[in-house]
Amino acid sequence: MTNSKNTKFYSTLVFDDSTMQKYLDAKSYKDFRDIVENGKPLSINLADKIAAAMKDWAVSMGATHFTHWFQPLNGTTSEKHDSFLVPEGDSGKAIFSFSGKALISGEGDASSFPSGGLRATFEARGYTAWDPSSNAFIKDEVLCIPTAFCSYNGQALDKKTPLLRSMDAIKAQLTVFMNYFGVKTKDIVVNVGAEQELFLIPKKDYEAREDLIMCGRTLFGNKPVKGQELEEHYYGCLRPTVSNYYKELDDELWALGIAAHTKHNEAAPSQHELAPIYTNANRAIDENLITMEKMQLLASKYDLACLLHERPFEGINGSGKHCNWSVCAGGSNLLDPGKTDSEIIRFIAFLSCVIAGVDEYQELIRASVASAGNDCRLGGNEAPPAIISIYLGDALSNIINAVMSGHSYEAMTDSKMDLGVSVLPQIMRDSSDRNRTSPFAFTANKFEFRMPGSQMNLSDCVMVLNTAIAKSIYDFNKLLEKGKNKIGNTKKFQNFVLSCCAKTLKDHKRIIFNGDGYSSAWQKEAKKRGLSNNVTTADALPCMISKNSVELFEAFGVLTKEELKSRYVISLEKYNKLINIESRLMHRMVKRTFLPAINEYASDLSSQINEISNAQKTYKLQNQRASLKKLLSGLEDIYESLEKLDDLRESAKSIKDEQRKANHNAKKLVPAMKELRHCVDAMEHIVPRDWWPVPSYNSMLFYV
């Protein structure tokens, strides 16, 4: 038993299972577990008891308010604080009280959040509904109760509700699937682990950059003199300031029951990562949203700024949020190859379903991670390309090929490596290597979805993955139904399952690719295979409202046609608004920040040339005149590019259709923004440091 004070404080701010047992009587606790595990209805009497227990615990921990904590469709989290305080008539006294009704549901202003047409502005009523499967917690002396958020008509206005529906969908299909393999269980859990990447830079530099404040990324800036080419930052020693920041972050997260586990320097200078221990998808996503909030709030205490944008700096790695995904049934990880024939065949069957689901709904999976920020990141610097593919590794690919050809196969085994040094132990080598360019890579006993951007809410992509794979399991179950008479004969059934796997894999093998995702050869090959390459958000989003997508989500009760369309509309609007904000800010920064500084330096340099020339007429001053010529030529380029940008911005205003506007922004406005940036950045090489009006990459990324 450990005596560490840190482990004693673990989960102290969470109304978890053990805390509930302390504050609830045994029968009420048992009834509550029945609700969570078996979907039994919640009575108002039990709700009152749970609410009273929550309140007593929260007050004992110093809480004075409660809030229904939810995830609106803007992708962030929201909360409205209400006090426990209730005056006792005119006595001048008050008590703390919390009812079951207040626990179960609340009312908020739905019209103030994006709805994508589900609600009119004048239709303001929205409801929050308690999610008992996610633990309540205390944050800043407020009891936070995780909830879903829906409209007056019951339509989902949040990201949690469709996620929970998708988890039910895959659970229902896997219950049938497991029955075919002789396992009767409803204990089926989708697990997620979110590897969160971030940048930490000096707060003073952040405050001096209007683009970082308004957009989360630098709209201007030259590559640093030294980037990541020396490969010295990755896994390097943490700066003392960053180390202290991480220590306090660990303390705060552990108190909230978030098992922050791995922390290290990432590849780019000033880039870092924090990864938690795996947990169920609903809880994992709630915890990741809390983690991002804590990361940003805590940074300022250490005179740092935490950047969660997908690409804060050009020329070096961007930041992702690698989503590790797996499913457990009856306590077994279905992506663990296992050792017995039965386990291995079940693994191959489930793997076949995953491959089929990812292939069938590749465009929808790509759309689930589409954003203006992620467009800046995908396709290079360790971020996967926009083409969806699955990496299996050589060992697993050999097994898959054997299954498709009907030949015998060998179970995957880890081999030992002898490092050739007597004092070093032999270490186990995984059955597959890692592929940093793969969007969806098998990593021993899970898949790592590498496409999500660092600031994203993972609910969207996990919901799509769950639903797509639920559909492929449903299709596979129909194949297994044809051979149910073989179930009693193990060998016959196993051979029949393998034949079903062979059919599924042959139909969907095009999605498997183990090579370099960055190569131009792969782009050509992917096109031949019929795989989509939706490079921009504008390209990616239309598939959300395709007939195929609508049928998928409606068939499994995850999203109605109207709910799906609303998310498409919101994603389009957000993309267009972000591009508009960035282009407007570029105009403002060029006019008010960069042009005055460049013009002033050009004027000063001109005066210097004239003064020296008048004083020493024999000097030709070729270098100074060449610099002045470059400055003046650069200024002309900036003015010309700025005018082009302004014209395209005006053109965008007149486009009413959001998809057409997105196409215009992606194909014309964004390239014009890049062109203007290039013109301004070229001047940073010429204008002296003291004249340059904003902190450079060198100063922001390399600090003591």
Side-chain angles (χ1 to χ4, degrees):
M1 180 179 290
T2 178
N3 292 317
S4 169
K5 70 178 182 71
N6 291 327
T7 54
K8 286 183 180 180
F9 286 129
Y10 181 75
S11 202
T12 51
L13 295 179
V14 183
F15 193 68
D16 56 16
D17 201 64
S18 60
T19 304
M20 183 175 284
Q21 289 186 65
K22 292 176 185 176
Y23 281 84
L24 268 182
D25 62 87
K27 183 180 184 307
S28 296
Y29 170 75
K30 182 177 180 298
D31 290 343
F32 172 76
R33 293 311 312 169
D34 212 19
I35 289 165
V36 174
E37 293 166 11
N38 301 311
K40 295 283 183 70
L42 174 68
S43 69
I44 191 64
N45 181 52
L46 180 57
D48 282 334
K49 290 181 179 179
I50 295 171
M54 266 192 197
K55 181 264 298 178
D56 290 345
W57 167 75
V59 170
S60 74
M61 299 298 293
T64 57
H65 289 68
F66 71 93
T67 183
H68 279 193
W69 185 81
F70 60 101
Q71 304 169 31
L73 292 173
N74 59 17
T76 61
T77 61
S78 294
E79 51 196 65
K80 172 176 70 74
H81 301 171
D82 291 309
S83 173
F84 289 126
L85 190 76
V86 178
E88 288 189 306
D90 297 327
S91 66
K93 297 180 180 179
I95 60 170
F96 275 171
S97 180
F98 186 44
S99 69
K101 182 180 178 181
L103 167 65
I104 292 171
S105 66
E107 184 184 344
D109 187 349
S111 68
S112 298
F113 295 103
S115 72
L118 287 176
R119 304 290 286 155
T121 303
F122 64 86
E123 296 175 314
R125 199 180 296 275
Y127 296 103
T128 49
W130 176 38
D131 171 18
S133 64
S134 189
N135 293 329
F137 57 93
I138 294 173
K139 179 167 65 76
D140 299 326
E141 299 184 348
V142 176
L143 173 65
C144 298
I145 302 160
T147 58
F149 185 49
C150 66
S151 73
Y152 181 74
N153 298 319
Q155 295 158 315
L157 293 174
D158 68 338
K159 293 182 180 289
K160 179 185 278 282
T161 303
L163 172 69
L164 293 173
R165 292 172 182 169
S166 75
M167 291 167 68
D168 284 346
I170 199 169
K171 180 177 180 179
Q173 298 309 314
L174 276 173
T175 300
V176 177
F177 176 88
M178 295 298 289
N179 278 340
Y180 283 113
F181 291 89
V183 179
K184 295 188 180 298
T185 181
K186 291 185 178 180
D187 179 22
I188 296 169
V189 182
V190 178
N191 288 316
V192 163
E195 301 175 20
Q196 182 68 54
E197 294 178 343
L198 64 149
F199 279 85
L200 291 169
I201 65 168
K203 183 182 175 185
K204 61 179 177 59
D205 289 339
Y206 171 82
E207 292 173 340
R209 297 274 324 206
E210 197 175 4
D211 46 4
L212 283 176
I213 293 171
M214 296 293 181
C215 303
R217 74 178 182 107
T218 53
L219 300 175
F220 302 96
N222 251 309
K223 287 177 62 175
V225 173
K226 180 176 74 169
Q228 59 199 63
E229 60 270 23
L230 294 180
E231 300 167 338
E232 59 188 359
H233 189 258
Y234 191 57
Y235 280 17
C237 180
L238 293 171
R239 289 185 177 100
T241 304
V242 172
S243 178
N244 291 332
Y245 163 82
Y246 260 130
K247 288 174 185 176
E248 185 165 353
L249 181 61
D250 278 342
D251 287 343
E252 295 211 10
L253 294 180
W254 289 350
L256 287 164
I258 300 172
H261 184 66
T262 301
K263 56 186 178 184
H264 62 81
N265 286 349
E266 254 299 336
S270 289
Q271 188 183 31
H272 309 278
E273 182 176 299
L274 180 73
I277 292 174
Y278 243 44
T279 189
N280 79 77
N282 183 34
R283 179 178 170 184
I285 292 168
D286 282 357
E287 291 181 351
N288 178 251
L289 293 169
I290 299 168
T291 298
M292 289 194 291
E293 179 185 302
K294 287 291 184 183
M295 282 176 165
Q296 291 184 302
L297 292 175
L298 190 61
S300 62
K301 184 175 178 180
Y302 293 88
D303 290 323
L304 297 171
C306 171
L307 307 180
L308 294 176
H309 192 280
E310 286 82 1
R311 196 72 182 276
F313 305 100
E314 287 293 313
I316 58 175
N317 278 14
S319 293
K321 186 177 357 236
H322 302 157
C323 177
N324 294 284
W325 181 94
S326 68
V327 181
C328 285
S332 298
N333 182 354
L334 298 183
L335 287 173
D336 187 336
K339 293 182 172 61
T340 67
D341 285 349
S342 178
E343 289 172 341
I344 293 167
I345 289 171
R346 189 181 68 192
F347 161 73
I348 294 172
F350 183 65
L351 179 65
S352 301
C353 293
V354 174
I355 291 169
V358 173
D359 178 43
E360 186 71 25
Y361 296 99
Q362 47 163 309
E363 286 195 285
L364 200 52
I365 292 169
R366 164 67 181 100
S368 73
V369 295
S371 72
N374 222 15
D375 285 357
C376 300
R377 166 182 167 263
L378 294 178
N381 299 98
E382 292 196 14
I387 304 168
I388 297 287
S389 65
I390 293 177
Y391 170 82
L392 296 178
D394 292 338
L396 189 50
S397 292
N398 290 338
I399 292 174
I400 294 303
N401 290 333
V403 171
M404 285 191 286
S405 64
H407 296 152
S408 61
Y409 61 89
E410 292 183 5
M412 293 171 62
T413 56
D414 296 333
S415 58
K416 290 185 177 180
M417 285 188 292
D418 187 347
L419 300 181
V421 181
S422 59
V423 297
L424 296 179
Q426 287 188 335
I427 61 174
M428 297 300 294
R429 173 170 46 207
D430 287 324
S431 55
S432 66
D433 203 344
R434 285 178 177 263
N435 188 326
R436 310 297 288 177
T437 70
S438 174
F440 203 69
F442 184 74
T443 54
N445 61 359
K446 63 188 184 312
F447 275 99
E448 182 182 38
F449 187 32
R450 297 177 57 83
M451 291 186 84
S454 50
Q455 62 183 335
M456 288 182 171
N457 182 326
L458 288 178
S459 295
D460 290 332
C461 66
V462 174
M463 178 266 292
V464 170
L465 280 173
N466 289 348
T467 312
I469 293 166
K471 171 62 166 61
S472 62
I473 297 169
Y474 170 80
D475 292 339
F476 199 85
N477 286 341
K478 287 200 297 184
L479 294 177
L480 293 179
E481 175 68 16
K482 297 175 183 178
K484 63 182 180 181
N485 61 323
K486 300 182 178 69
I487 290 176
N489 186 315
T490 303
K491 193 63 179 174
K492 279 187 178 179
F493 178 67
Q494 289 179 351
N495 289 336
F496 177 74
V497 172
L498 288 175
S499 70
C500 294
C501 293
K503 180 185 184 312
T504 301
L505 291 167
K506 287 174 183 176
D507 289 344
H508 299 284
K509 63 182 180 180
R510 65 174 183 169
I511 200 73
I512 300 170
F513 176 66
N514 293 331
D516 181 3
Y518 294 159
S519 69
S520 57
W522 165 234
Q523 292 190 25
K524 294 175 184 176
E525 173 63 22
K527 189 174 181 180
K528 284 183 184 178
R529 295 187 187 188
L531 300 177
S532 300
N533 186 12
N534 295 323
V535 176
T536 71
T537 295
D539 299 327
L541 293 179
C543 79
M544 290 178 66
I545 53 172
S546 69
K547 181 182 177 183
N548 199 31
S549 297
V550 172
E551 288 177 349
L552 170 71
F553 288 117
E554 288 198 326
F556 290 91
V558 175
L559 289 168
T560 65
K561 182 178 181 179
E562 292 74 22
E563 288 172 333
L564 184 57
K565 184 179 178 182
S566 74
R567 282 145 179 81
Y568 163 70
V569 170
I570 289 168
S571 296
L572 272 180
E573 288 179 345
K574 185 173 183 179
Y575 174 76
N576 289 329
K577 287 175 181 176
L578 283 171
I579 297 301
N580 181 49
I581 290 168
E582 289 188 350
S583 61
R584 285 173 60 198
L585 184 57
M586 287 192 86
H587 170 95
R588 182 171 298 195
M589 288 184 72
V590 168
K591 294 282 280 187
R592 297 184 179 183
T593 303
F594 292 109
L595 283 176
I598 298 168
N599 274 313
E600 189 176 356
Y601 175 65
S603 176
D604 183 78
L605 182 58
S606 178
S607 297
Q608 288 181 38
I609 291 171
N610 288 333
E611 287 177 11
I612 296 172
S613 181
N614 289 333
Q616 296 288 339
K617 296 186 184 296
T618 56
Y619 286 98
K620 295 182 180 180
L621 304 172
Q622 295 99 324
N623 293 328
Q624 291 91 331
R625 294 182 190 278
S627 294
L628 180 59
K629 185 177 180 180
K630 285 182 181 178
L631 279 171
L632 296 176
S633 176
L635 282 167
E636 287 182 8
D637 290 341
I638 291 172
Y639 281 114
E640 185 178 324
S641 295
L642 184 61
E643 184 178 356
K644 180 179 178 181
L645 179 74
D646 289 343
D647 289 344
L648 289 168
R649 284 180 55 238
E650 286 301 313
S651 298
K653 290 179 183 178
S654 64
I655 303 174
K656 302 302 180 186
D657 180 80
E658 291 292 336
Q659 181 63 60
R660 285 183 55 236
K661 184 181 288 188
N663 294 340
H664 169 87
N665 287 338
K667 308 302 181 187
K668 295 180 180 180
L669 188 53
V670 170
M673 291 166 62
K674 291 179 180 178
E675 181 184 314
L676 178 58
R677 174 181 188 144
H678 176 76
C679 293
V680 173
D681 288 355
M683 296 295 94
E684 191 178 343
H685 286 302
I686 303 171
V687 177
R689 180 192 302 173
D690 292 342
W691 288 85
W692 199 244
V694 296
S696 68
Y697 278 21
N698 286 342
S699 65
M700 286 188 286
L701 296 173
F702 298 92
Y703 58 93
V704 178

